[in-house]
Amino acid sequence: MSDIENIKQEIEQKIAGAEDIKTLEDIRVAALGKKGQVTEVLKTLGSLPMEERIALGKKVNTVKAELEQCLAAKKADLEKKLLDEKLKQEVVDVTLPCRPETQGRIHPVSKVYEEIVAIFAQMGFDVAEGPDIEDQFHNFNALNMPPNHPARQMQDTFYINNQPDKEFDMDAAYVVRTHTSGVQIRTMEKKRPPIRIIAPGRTYRSDYDATHTPMFHQFEGLVIDKHTTLADLKGCLYDFMKAFFEVDELPIRFRPSYFPFTEPSAEVDIGCLKTKTDLIIGAGTDWLEVLGCGMVHPNVLRAGGIDPDEYQGFAFGAGIDRLAMLKYGIPDLRTFFESDIRWIKHYGFLPLDFSSMTSGLSNNGGLAR
Ligand code: DAH
């Protein structure tokens, strides 16, 4: 076998064994490059006699062409392998189910909280806050409920022993606030009239059944100015109720009542239809109590450092959870705080459906549930 045949076979073996394009290129250069094995053979042609030169020249050119073909075929082969591997890695399984739905939901209490803030913010109210652990001055005394006032017994208060090293002293003890009304006093202490605030937050009473839990939520409203009247109170609450329940024609009545911190006081009822299975708000001849309110008692203004001969105002308070139950048809309050994922998936709201008076309050078509 001639030299060139040997060289050809040797190179063909190397080509067959190449595992990547870089190695293949090195083989090509070593064979056909300027100083390649085959090129070197060509360089020797000049020194050969004419006949041999022609014969070997032909032979080498054929070998060169064959090797080039062989290299090209191997290159195509390696490129295909590379592509197949890449496709395998980047494979998209079009039969997979689409992205899983968001698990988290906004709790109905948070939702109603936001709705209430949105409505009152548009009426120009600020949001005020007070502490959950409160002294008895702010929770009771300043609200015209001195010690031994019978109204204190109505509130099933949790007392906190804030002096653990001493014997428990009921009068000095702190409480977890039984209502948000104490924020009225805290606001008056900080701010001069005109005052227009709502104070949503947690409240606590020792009570537990389908409509009561030891921790629940309330919001308080307080408006104080020189000429604030009962008519302002009524207008404000009418507007709030209609906006909140998303019902244009909502029957509302003010029923005389008693709260120590307001005089006169009233409870607000909304018209509804109660059937055995349903509660429809805004229709029918039944009434449902939703809110307490009244004109701020002069003693309360005085306790907050405001002169009742110069200023007057109104206040109101309501349960956020209760409003959530009514608006979204949730029958048992205790389920609100059981952290059951199935419950929140059913009654909760999508995180991006935030409440605003312009883009929609509940994003839920109002009472449709
Ligand atoms: N604090 C009352 C309660 O917890 C609710 C309330 C009634 C608040 C009348 C008020 C009001 O501001 O004027 O039952």
Side-chain angles (χ1 to χ4, degrees):
M1 211 188 282
S2 69
D3 255 9
I4 188 70
E5 271 301 323
N6 281 340
I7 292 175
K8 184 187 159 204
Q9 275 187 11
E10 192 188 311
I11 297 173
E12 276 176 348
Q13 269 172 19
K14 279 191 196 160
I15 293 174
E19 283 185 353
D20 57 68
I21 288 179
K22 166 89 178 59
T23 316
L24 192 67
E25 177 61 10
D26 291 345
I27 295 168
R28 189 192 66 78
V29 172
L32 308 175
K34 267 191 200 154
K35 289 182 183 165
Q37 273 176 294
V38 179
T39 319
E40 290 300 324
V41 178
L42 276 176
K43 282 183 194 164
T44 64
L45 287 183
S47 60
L48 292 177
M50 188 60 132
E51 263 183 33
E52 277 182 45
R53 189 192 308 170
I54 293 174
L56 188 61
K58 257 190 184 174
K59 182 97 196 145
V60 176
N61 276 333
T62 317
V63 166
K64 205 173 150 188
E66 281 170 356
L67 285 177
E68 268 164 2
Q69 248 182 27
C70 186
L71 280 163
K74 183 70 183 181
K75 192 171 177 201
D77 190 34
L78 286 176
E79 276 173 353
K80 185 173 177 307
K81 262 193 202 151
L82 209 67
L83 184 66
D84 284 349
E85 241 165 62
K86 201 166 173 216
L87 286 176
K88 223 189 259 170
Q89 271 171 18
E90 293 175 7
V91 74
V92 175
D93 182 355
V94 291
T95 63
L96 281 176
C98 56
R99 230 172 248 262
E101 69 169 313
T102 340
Q103 292 290 313
R105 292 282 188 281
I106 301 291
H107 195 285
V109 169
S110 304
K111 181 71 177 170
V112 166
Y113 188 115
E114 280 174 25
E115 290 178 11
I116 292 167
V117 169
I119 297 169
F120 282 107
Q122 216 197 26
M123 294 191 211
F125 283 66
D126 289 332
V127 172
E129 283 182 327
D132 284 22
I133 297 175
E134 189 56 288
D135 55 52
Q136 293 190 45
F137 174 77
H138 290 93
N139 196 75
F140 291 131
N141 303 13
L143 290 164
N144 205 25
M145 280 190 265
N148 304 320
H149 192 287
R152 285 197 182 203
Q153 265 84 62
M154 284 159 43
Q155 298 213 345
D156 305 309
T157 311
F158 286 118
Y159 288 88
I160 292 182
N161 187 4
N162 48 312
Q163 294 170 306
D165 36 333
K166 288 192 193 153
E167 206 175 312
F168 182 66
D169 174 359
M170 179 84 153
D171 293 331
Y174 282 11
V175 299
V176 271
R177 63 179 176 185
T178 55
H179 52 186
T180 43
S181 301
V183 186
Q184 289 189 32
I185 306 298
R186 292 201 172 267
T187 304
M188 290 184 230
E189 285 169 345
K190 276 195 285 236
K191 220 175 147 191
R192 293 293 86 200
I195 287 173
R196 203 185 295 173
I197 57 111
I198 55 159
R202 290 198 177 107
T203 44
Y204 307 81
R205 288 183 203 178
S206 177
D207 214 347
Y208 188 70
D209 60 35
T211 52
H212 298 88
T213 48
M215 190 282 299
F216 58 107
H217 300 81
Q218 283 192 341
F219 71 97
E220 193 77 15
L222 178 68
V223 174
I224 298 175
D225 207 341
K226 288 197 167 147
H227 305 290
T228 305
T229 67
L230 190 66
D232 297 320
L233 165 64
K234 287 184 79 173
C236 173
L237 292 181
Y238 262 110
D239 283 352
F240 166 70
M241 290 297 171
K242 281 183 197 161
F244 178 75
F245 285 106
E246 298 175 62
V247 178
D248 284 339
E249 292 299 318
L250 182 64
I252 295 175
R253 76 176 180 193
F254 286 73
R255 196 167 23 80
S257 184
Y258 170 76
F259 298 103
F261 27 88
T262 42
E263 181 58 40
S265 302
E267 274 168 319
V268 178
D269 299 339
I270 54 172
C272 63
L273 177 69
K274 291 178 195 166
T275 70
K276 267 192 189 135
T277 52
D278 275 322
L279 174 70
I280 301 163
I281 289 170
T285 51
D286 298 314
W287 294 99
L288 207 66
E289 181 204 320
V290 284
L291 196 139
C293 62
M295 299 305 291
V296 182
H297 196 290
N299 287 349
V300 175
L301 290 172
R302 255 180 237 116
I306 290 175
D307 180 359
D309 293 328
E310 200 181 342
Y311 289 102
Q312 57 186 29
F314 63 82
F316 51 87
I320 295 179
D321 324 68
R322 180 170 162 73
L323 289 179
M325 289 170 81
L326 293 176
K327 181 164 179 178
Y328 295 115
I330 310 173
D332 192 325
L333 180 61
R334 291 167 295 197
T335 58
F336 276 56
F337 309 114
E338 281 171 358
S339 304
D340 185 331
I341 192 78
R342 294 163 304 176
W343 186 90
I344 193 76
K345 269 195 174 162
H346 180 74
Y347 287 114
F349 295 83
L350 289 176
L352 293 176
D353 289 348
F354 65 92
S355 304
S356 105
M357 288 297 281
T358 42
S359 73
L361 207 56
S362 63
N363 303 300
N364 189 36
L367 305 164
R369 215 188 240 274

